[in-house]
Amino acid sequence: MTKARKAAIAGLVTLLLVTIVFTGFAVYSDRNSTTKHDGETYNAVTEMLLGMVGVDVDGNDADVLAGKRLSQKLTVTTDDGVLVTGGTVTKIQDDFYPGTYKITFSKKAILTSKAVVEVSMDVKKGDDVYILIGDKDSGYTEYACVKAGEDNLVSFDTNVLQDYTLSKTDIKSAQEAMADIISTTNSTN
């Protein structure tokens, strides 16, 4: 009976060791796959929660609705690779300047080299997109004007991570024209 007991204990110990090794391997591989799928999980959970409160998400790749940030569709790339920086893209509801988005970085920074910022937004390939700094109240300064390289994606170069406004409307020229109209109206009175 002692031989049977020893064999049973040896079998249980072997089973326990195999289970521990298998569990350790499963946890290790799950951690690696989790980092790859964090963004997809974030998007899925956000879409589910918005669906529960009645916001319809059409599955468009540029997941930005009026005033609601669905996901961080923002990538900053340098020669060294992709920068780990948080940022949000929010569509601005403004009847005067349709197709306008606000980019806000969680950490403002001056980079040591040029970076390419890629933003998902509602734009067609070949559309002009104006990249502006400043705000509506104090006025905008045009940083750059780029053409969309593909549908729903705009990219531009910078070495400063700061808040930007992207628009399909030439806001700076529209503001200057409005200022000219107001000044001529005031001078005639």
Side-chain angles (χ1 to χ4, degrees):
M1 207 172 336
T2 57
K3 285 185 181 182
R5 197 178 287 173
K6 286 182 182 179
I9 291 174
L12 286 174
V13 169
T14 304
L15 179 65
L16 182 63
L17 288 174
V18 168
T19 304
I20 290 171
V21 168
F22 178 74
T23 304
F25 178 74
V27 168
Y28 175 75
S29 60
D30 185 49
R31 280 188 186 161
N32 286 342
S33 66
T34 299
T35 57
K36 294 177 186 173
H37 299 293
D38 277 347
E40 294 171 10
T41 304
Y42 176 82
N43 289 343
V45 169
T46 305
E47 288 175 9
M48 180 192 69
L49 291 174
L50 286 173
M52 290 172 65
V53 296
V55 176
D56 184 30
V57 180
D58 62 358
N60 189 354
D61 203 28
D63 288 339
V64 180
L65 294 177
K68 294 178 180 66
R69 177 182 57 96
L70 296 184
S71 60
Q72 297 181 3
K73 298 293 188 175
L74 181 65
T75 307
V76 181
T77 310
T78 64
D79 292 337
D80 300 328
V82 176
L83 291 180
V84 181
T85 182
T88 59
V89 180
T90 307
K91 186 171 185 175
I92 299 172
Q93 288 294 79
D94 191 332
D95 294 334
F96 293 109
Y97 311 122
T100 302
Y101 294 79
K102 179 81 173 173
I103 298 175
T104 306
F105 289 98
S106 57
K107 291 184 180 179
K108 314 300 189 255
I110 298 175
L111 306 173
T112 57
S113 64
K114 276 216 186 266
V116 176
V117 178
E118 292 182 340
V119 181
S120 291
M121 62 181 274
D122 185 24
V123 67
K124 299 289 183 202
K125 181 178 180 179
D127 284 351
D128 285 331
V129 177
Y130 300 90
I131 294 98
L132 309 162
I133 53 178
D135 60 34
K136 185 176 179 180
D137 298 327
S138 63
Y140 291 102
T141 302
E142 186 173 317
Y143 177 77
C145 179
V146 297
K147 287 201 178 292
E150 57 185 85
D151 289 348
N152 299 322
L153 185 67
V154 174
S155 61
F156 62 95
D157 296 335
T158 186
N159 61 348
V160 179
L161 297 183
Q162 61 185 340
D163 295 345
Y164 291 98
T165 301
L166 276 64
S167 182
K168 294 190 291 185
T169 305
D170 187 357
I171 295 174
K172 184 174 183 300
S173 295
Q175 285 182 334
E176 289 171 356
M178 186 60 81
D180 287 344
I181 290 171
I182 291 172
S183 66
T184 44
T185 304
N186 288 339
S187 64
T188 59
N189 290 337

